[in-house]
Amino acid sequence: QVQFVESGGGLVQPGGSLRLSCAASGFTFSSYTMGWYRQAPGKERELVAAITSTFNTNYAPFVRGRFTISRDNTKNTVYLQMDSLNSEDTAVYYCYARAMQTYWGQGTQVTVSS
């Protein structure tokens, strides 16, 4: 059974930082591309960042230089370090795993507000 445990979301002031974590189980973590999407109210879900099984990374233009994705295959966990947050980063952030199938986490809320 595929499971994700997402953590690290919350309320942060503009300019602040958060680190999201997504611990996965139920599939061969090291073989999957892992990543994060986000969805703001009234908007479509959009890719934020991804990291392949060979540790290649890909970032959306709007987060490049501010966010860093990483993975620890010994812990079956993917991370998203988010710095220089602004109000436009407010969204629900979803962890996902993709290979032959795609699995989704339940989402964690990130709110950037003063």
Side-chain angles (χ1 to χ4, degrees):
Q1 181 180 359
V2 174
Q3 290 186 325
F4 293 92
V5 178
E6 298 176 346
S7 60
L11 174 64
V12 63
Q13 292 185 342
S17 298
L18 285 174
R19 189 172 88 147
L20 304 183
S21 299
C22 174
S25 60
F27 60 96
T28 307
F29 181 87
S30 61
S31 298
Y32 278 65
T33 289
M34 300 296 299
W36 298 87
Y37 273 72
R38 72 185 187 186
Q39 188 167 21
K43 295 186 178 181
E44 294 186 354
R45 192 173 294 192
E46 58 186 0
L47 176 67
V48 176
I51 184 166
T52 70
S53 60
T54 55
F55 293 84
N56 291 317
T57 58
N58 180 41
Y59 295 94
F62 52 80
V63 303
R64 195 171 291 130
R66 300 189 298 125
F67 292 10
T68 304
I69 190 169
S70 60
R71 65 190 296 163
D72 185 342
N73 289 345
T74 67
K75 297 181 179 179
N76 285 4
T77 301
V78 61
Y79 304 96
L80 185 67
Q81 176 66 42
M82 304 187 294
D83 300 317
S84 302
L85 287 161
N86 59 62
S87 60
E88 295 183 349
D89 296 316
T90 295
V92 178
Y93 285 71
Y94 296 90
C95 173
Y96 78 94
R98 178 170 295 149
M100 295 297 291
Q101 295 176 286
T102 300
Y103 304 116
W104 291 94
Q106 77 282 2
T108 185
Q109 177 69 47
V110 172
T111 302
V112 184
S113 176
S114 56

